[in-house]
Amino acid sequence: MALEKIISITGPAVYVPGNDIDTDRIIPARFMKCIVFDGLGEFLFYDVRKNADGTDRPHPLNEARFKRATILLSGANFGCGSSREHAPQAIQKYGFKAVIAENFAEIFLGNCTTLGLPCATASREDIAKIAAVVAQEPTAEVVIDVVKQEVRFAGQTVKAEVRASARDALIHGRWDPIGELLDGLPAVQTTAAKLPYLAA
Amino acid sequence: MRKSLFEKVWDAHAVRTLANGQTQLLVGTHLIHEVTSPQAFGMLRDLGLKVAMPHRTFATVDHIVPTDQFAEPYRDPLAQAMMEELRKNCASTGITFFDRASGKQGIVHIVGPEQGITQPGTTIACGDSHTSTHGAFGAIAFGIGTTQIRDVLATQTMALGKLKVRRIEVSGKLLPGVYAKDVILHIIRTLGVNGGTGFAYEYAGEVFDRFTMEERMTVCNMSIEGGARAGYVNPDETTFAYLQGRPYSPKAAQWDAAVANWKSFASDPGCHYDDVVKIAAADIAPTVTWGINPGQAIAINESIPDAAKTNVVDEKASIEEALAYMKLTPGAPIKGTKIDVAFLGSCTNGRLSDFQEVARFLKGRKVAAGVKAIAVPGSQIVALQCIAQGIDRVFSDAGFEWREAGCSMCLAMNPDKLIGDQLCASSSNRNFKGRQGSPTGRTILMSPLMVAAAAVNGSIADAREVFAVN
Ligand code: SF4
């Protein structure tokens, strides 16, 4: 299966500050009762974006000037918590094409990569620099260069690491492993035949 | 070469190395449930793919089932739709489904072991973070996302990078009133919620040697809360005794060979570990959380942390955020914090021994006025065992609502939810903001007996005092 080679992501960014933003915060569990993922985007960060009566609370994603953002900026340990893919799905369905944070929870990062959603890690200082530019000028173009592992914005360049395995998968169009896994099916049978609990 | 259990299981299931350096890993057992599987079946249909090994795939329904209603349709049409979707997907692909009518339904991490499906030396995957539970049997069990569920359905494999192994040894003897739940809360508190990133945890030492399978499951269950992708205990006689005679366990004629094979997977003495952590059992007290992640925990006699007492900027901010949400006073004792709800159940602590242990002490006691207390067996089989032993009566006589098997108030996907900023003493595994169904609901995690103590007392209490445990 031929997949798009994800070399770089370009677009406006929005900064959602905070450390340890967990998957329940990204998409509250009660919105995960769905049979398809479509429509999850509107519930992204719901409980911090909305009051109980459905009216808006102050949140960057509620600000008109950030509505077009396609790059999400945040703090440390982003995406901790549940293994459910609803969180990366909600981020992608909302319209984000990449996330930059200080670091990411393991399962979350894997799930994002499989959706072709690059997760780049940058230092706190550098994220603050990008956030400062974005706050000033929400339409500023931010470029995440997956190959060079850097972020370029407003004439500045900062380092942004994309984990080697994820980077390789993204730039070679192998971020969804299904094709390669299917190719391995004959070898799967051989491995299974050697295991008593599977051979039986 | 001497190898750890993790390496042996990994090597036995490694099909090949993929272009990106990850391993195509064979998943011997795939467990599925109603919440994370329907989208995966949808993707499979879109791609025109079939289920590769339906006989190695087992389904149950747990997250969305109402625990106060058996008859369908459920009040929530979406829950009903998920139920029917799973039924349809299993029927059309030939997957065994432990539906509610089977009498074997329950939380997926309780059903697998109960049926003898969870076995040593195997790999297990399930679209649920707490799949690490199955590691109690010396299996390597991973929580996976929906796209990986699709991969496993289509190929019985997934792409994965190898983990490092950290051995966590708990030596000595636990004090009376200290349980498996306290052990894991203590470990997470010590190593941090991210301490396990990139690792599989091997739990060992005298405490684990003595633990029952159910206690081992409680600890392995919460590995993920400490950031570890998997957690396991080496298989031993306790493991084999538990498995003997279960529906999917090897039958008599194959039993000895199976045990010999299982034993061969145990970590070799002197094998390499990437890290070793030693903990003294005597240092572990009944532990409760005070914040909004499972690592924000203290011993019952400690006071609530005070942001003013730390100079670490991050720590200050996270204490402040947690206490603002929890509406707790910095520096105050956690003991005496009023509760509104007591929840006993979940895949962490919803097994027979959890209810047995609480019943021993709860007999003749009453839930405090104004506290809503619910007891939810983790599976229909656990429920039946409790009923046979009169345990359900002990709970109802004490003022607990005795419910049908399911995930219940562990998360907000069924009618059991906190209301407003209710505070819940909970035997579950996550105290994230909003986890129990109300965006402002508050959760304090603890052992089952501590939940019972809080229920009886009306506030967070030391079970050793409330029930004279010694
Ligand atoms: S009991 Fe809770 S943690 Fe366990 S499977 Fe159900 S929802 Fe997940």
Side-chain angles (χ1 to χ4, degrees):
Chain A
M1 288 195 315
L3 299 171
E4 185 199 347
K5 295 186 162 94
I6 300 171
I7 308 293
S8 70
I9 302 288
T10 304
V14 58
Y15 180 46
V16 176
N19 295 333
D20 303 314
I21 293 188
D22 61 64
T23 48
D24 278 14
R25 185 112 47 103
I26 295 170
I27 180 89
R30 63 184 184 285
F31 297 120
M32 301 194 306
K33 280 195 291 183
C34 60
I35 292 171
V36 288
F37 283 132
D38 308 338
L40 271 185
E42 60 180 294
F43 302 118
L44 182 66
F45 292 121
Y46 194 88
D47 286 344
V48 280
R49 276 174 64 199
K50 301 279 180 182
N51 292 304
D53 60 5
T55 53
D56 280 359
R57 296 172 57 167
H59 190 277
L61 295 195
N62 289 337
E63 294 183 40
R65 58 196 188 120
F66 295 126
K67 286 281 185 241
R68 289 182 47 248
T70 56
I71 293 172
L72 179 61
L73 286 171
S74 194
N77 198 26
F78 189 79
C80 58
S82 153
S83 67
R84 286 184 207 99
E85 230 168 282
H86 300 66
Q89 285 279 1
I91 291 172
Q92 192 175 54
K93 292 275 163 16
Y94 181 92
F96 288 113
K97 303 223 174 323
V99 188
I100 305 174
E102 279 175 54
N103 51 53
F104 295 89
E106 193 78 10
I107 298 183
F108 179 83
L109 191 147
N111 286 340
C112 283
T113 307
T114 308
L115 295 177
L117 193 74
C119 291
T121 55
S123 71
R124 182 173 304 188
E125 298 70 44
D126 289 340
I127 289 174
K129 279 187 211 160
I130 310 171
V133 165
V134 167
Q136 283 287 314
E137 196 196 328
T139 55
E141 198 161 86
V142 177
V143 180
I144 303 176
D145 190 322
V146 181
V147 179
K148 289 194 187 149
Q149 302 198 76
E150 57 187 38
V151 178
R152 297 186 289 272
F153 56 102
Q156 304 183 57
T157 300
V158 297
K159 266 182 57 187
E161 204 181 312
V162 179
R163 177 185 297 184
S165 58
R167 180 169 164 265
D168 187 69
L170 291 165
I171 61 184
H172 291 108
R174 279 198 300 259
W175 36 271
D176 187 331
I178 189 76
E180 223 185 335
L181 292 178
L182 285 166
D183 291 342
L185 272 179
V188 172
Q189 297 300 344
T190 316
T191 308
K194 282 187 255 170
L195 292 160
Y197 77 108
L198 297 178
Chain B
M1 215 190 83
R2 295 172 183 173
K3 293 205 262 180
S4 66
L5 177 137
F6 178 83
E7 287 180 280
K8 292 185 197 183
V9 176
W10 182 276
D11 292 349
H13 292 79
V15 174
R16 58 184 195 142
T17 305
L18 300 169
N20 66 1
Q22 288 188 312
T23 299
Q24 178 165 14
L25 191 76
L26 175 60
V27 174
T29 304
H30 187 197
L31 304 171
I32 61 173
H33 63 82
E34 76 284 11
V35 177
T36 52
S37 73
Q39 305 88 347
F41 279 107
M43 294 176 185
L44 214 62
R45 281 191 293 267
D46 289 346
L47 294 168
L49 298 170
K50 286 220 293 271
V51 178
M53 294 191 192
H55 63 291
R56 292 308 309 169
T57 313
F58 303 89
T60 188
V61 57
D62 47 12
H63 288 66
I64 55 93
V65 292
T67 60
D68 58 354
Q69 180 189 7
F70 193 80
E72 294 175 43
Y74 300 147
R75 294 176 298 253
D76 176 355
L78 209 45
Q80 185 64 36
M82 289 180 127
M83 182 84 184
E84 280 161 19
E85 189 70 13
L86 183 60
R87 236 174 236 148
K88 208 169 68 198
N89 285 330
C90 289
S92 64
T93 54
I95 292 171
T96 303
F97 178 27
F98 300 110
D99 203 340
R100 285 183 110 184
S102 71
K104 298 169 183 167
Q105 169 266 341
I107 305 172
V108 62
H109 310 311
I110 296 191
V111 170
E114 207 166 60
Q115 290 299 315
I117 293 168
T118 302
Q119 294 178 10
T122 65
T123 50
I124 299 175
C126 174
D128 190 280
S129 323
H130 297 93
T131 307
S132 55
T133 312
H134 305 266
F137 291 79
I140 299 302
F142 298 101
I144 58 176
T146 294
T147 306
Q148 285 176 310
I149 302 175
R150 175 206 65 183
D151 295 346
V152 180
L153 285 172
T155 68
Q156 203 68 21
T157 64
M158 57 183 180
L160 212 63
K162 199 168 178 175
L163 300 174
K164 293 180 285 184
V165 183
R166 172 181 290 143
R167 181 174 161 97
I168 300 178
E169 276 175 31
V170 187
S171 59
K173 241 182 127 168
L174 293 176
L175 298 167
V178 176
Y179 294 95
K181 181 63 156 286
D182 302 307
V183 173
I184 186 62
L185 286 173
H186 183 88
I187 290 173
I188 298 169
R189 174 193 180 184
T190 309
L191 300 176
V193 284
N194 309 314
T197 305
F199 282 99
Y201 280 173
E202 174 175 301
Y203 301 104
E206 291 152 88
V207 165
F208 285 93
D209 292 345
R210 260 194 308 268
F211 266 170
T212 63
M213 287 316 295
E214 302 203 341
E215 291 172 311
R216 293 176 188 180
M217 284 190 252
T218 297
V219 174
C220 289
N221 174 274
M222 288 187 70
S223 302
I224 190 74
E225 306 308 333
R229 192 73 199 271
Y232 66 88
V233 177
N234 280 301
D236 61 8
E237 295 305 325
T238 306
T239 321
F240 312 142
Y242 177 99
L243 283 171
Q244 195 153 26
R246 298 201 174 251
Y248 286 83
S249 291
K251 300 287 169 281
Q254 288 95 40
W255 180 255
D256 289 345
V259 170
N261 176 49
W262 291 342
K263 279 185 180 161
S264 73
F265 281 99
S267 293
D268 297 325
C271 70
H272 168 80
Y273 294 102
D274 299 285
D275 190 30
V276 177
V277 171
K278 297 192 184 197
I279 290 172
D283 291 344
I284 306 175
T287 301
V288 295
T289 58
W290 53 267
I292 49 174
N293 72 53
Q296 292 178 322
I298 49 176
I300 182 68
N301 288 318
E302 284 178 66
S303 21
I304 297 163
D306 187 342
K309 295 219 170 102
T310 170
N311 293 319
V312 186
V313 181
D314 271 0
E315 203 176 302
K316 225 185 218 342
S318 69
I319 294 175
E320 277 166 1
E321 185 192 4
L323 293 186
Y325 182 84
M326 291 299 291
K327 302 183 175 139
L328 295 175
T329 316
I334 189 97
K335 235 159 81 169
T337 305
K338 240 186 72 43
I339 67 155
D340 305 294
V341 178
F343 169 58
L344 187 51
S346 87
C347 59
T348 316
N349 283 119
R351 298 183 178 79
L352 178 61
S353 58
D354 296 312
F355 295 100
Q356 273 174 332
E357 181 67 7
V358 171
R360 259 189 346 121
F361 294 100
L362 194 61
K363 220 178 187 127
R365 304 295 288 266
K366 289 271 181 248
V367 170
V371 171
K372 178 188 174 74
I374 63 172
V376 190
S379 72
Q380 293 179 318
I381 290 177
V382 171
L384 274 183
Q385 288 168 329
C386 285
I387 291 165
Q389 297 181 19
I391 290 171
D392 61 321
R393 288 294 304 274
V394 174
F395 277 91
S396 12
D397 288 351
F400 271 82
E401 292 173 36
W402 183 262
R403 296 291 187 84
E404 306 262 5
C407 293
S408 183
M409 209 181 263
C410 177
L411 93 174
M413 299 185 83
N414 58 67
D416 302 336
K417 288 180 189 163
L418 294 183
I419 302 162
D421 69 353
Q422 277 183 332
L423 191 139
C424 179
S426 182
S427 71
S428 56
N429 47 41
R430 280 191 169 155
N431 53 341
F432 298 153
K433 290 181 177 178
R435 170 74 178 182
Q436 292 188 291
S438 161
T440 49
R442 298 170 292 160
T443 305
I444 297 190
L445 303 175
M446 59 191 81
S447 75
L449 196 64
M450 290 284 283
V451 170
V456 165
N457 221 42
S459 61
I460 303 299
D462 189 336
R464 297 171 299 189
E465 292 164 10
V466 175
F467 298 120
V469 182
N470 49 46

